[in-house]
Amino acid sequence: ETWPTIKPTTSKPLFSLYDALGRPDNFTIRGTFRSRAEGIANGFRPAPFPRDEFANMLFGSIFAEYDTGQKVKIGGELLDARSYFQKNNSVVSALDVNAFELTQAYLNFDLSDVAGDGSKSSLTAGRFTKDVGSRRYMSRQQLRNNTNAYTCVSFDWKGAC
């Protein structure tokens, strides 16, 4: 007898929000979920605090953007980061836990027609995350359980190539 084999299969999801909305071309929605276990052993901590720790970190986000068709986009994102099983006085902090935050809420205006010459430009106002250049100056965090968001106005321009 051979060892049992597992055959990968694809199945249709039980519920698809995109299908329920009628598969609109002007609406984008995506989400992420991540679970990870983190541990630290013999950490440098003063006496009554735990030196060995374990935590289960859960991270989830949902992003949605609606294109009005009039060169205006409305976007938003909710983020939820939680931690379980850590001891009292743990090193787990607000860098790791951020329960249910509105990370992004913005209006984006396409101003490409104003600049002309085949260039692209846009004006974004509200609260949003942003990557600039090689992500050294300003970036959206990729590994942490929460992220940096900025409440401001941003003008982006890219010349015609």
Side-chain angles (χ1 to χ4, degrees):
E1 186 175 313
T2 61
W3 184 260
T5 59
I6 299 172
K7 293 181 181 178
T9 61
T10 12
S11 62
K12 187 175 180 184
L14 296 175
F15 175 76
S16 168
L17 180 59
Y18 187 62
D19 288 334
L21 294 172
R23 300 180 142 290
D25 292 332
N26 61 345
F27 186 67
T28 303
I29 186 166
R30 65 179 176 262
T32 60
F33 177 77
R34 178 182 68 220
S35 173
R36 75 178 175 214
E38 295 184 12
I40 188 169
N42 295 322
F44 181 73
R45 304 274 321 261
F49 299 103
R51 292 177 55 107
D52 298 333
E53 294 190 49
F54 171 82
N56 182 27
M57 312 299 264
L58 302 176
F59 171 87
S61 70
I62 188 163
F63 170 84
E65 186 176 68
Y66 175 70
D67 187 347
T68 65
Q70 304 296 320
K71 298 193 178 266
V72 177
K73 293 180 182 175
I74 304 165
E77 180 182 33
L78 291 171
L79 179 140
D80 188 57
R82 298 173 190 253
S83 174
Y84 296 98
F85 307 121
Q86 70 274 10
K87 298 176 182 177
N88 288 339
N89 298 319
S90 171
V91 295
V92 173
S93 67
L95 292 175
D96 306 302
V97 177
N98 198 2
F100 208 66
E101 177 191 8
L102 181 64
T103 309
Q104 298 190 74
Y106 63 86
L107 291 173
N108 176 273
F109 304 94
D110 183 358
L111 304 175
S112 296
D113 293 341
V114 175
D117 299 332
S119 64
K120 289 184 167 187
S121 59
S122 67
L123 182 74
T124 306
R127 181 173 176 83
F128 51 91
T129 61
K130 189 172 182 113
D131 288 335
V132 175
S134 63
R135 302 183 64 235
R136 288 180 143 187
Y137 179 65
M138 181 187 295
S139 68
R140 179 183 174 105
Q141 302 298 319
Q142 301 297 320
L143 185 64
R144 277 187 6 206
N145 274 356
N146 65 15
T147 190
N148 297 334
Y150 306 94
T151 304
C152 59
V153 175
S154 175
F155 177 74
D156 296 303
W157 177 80
K158 182 177 181 181
C161 295

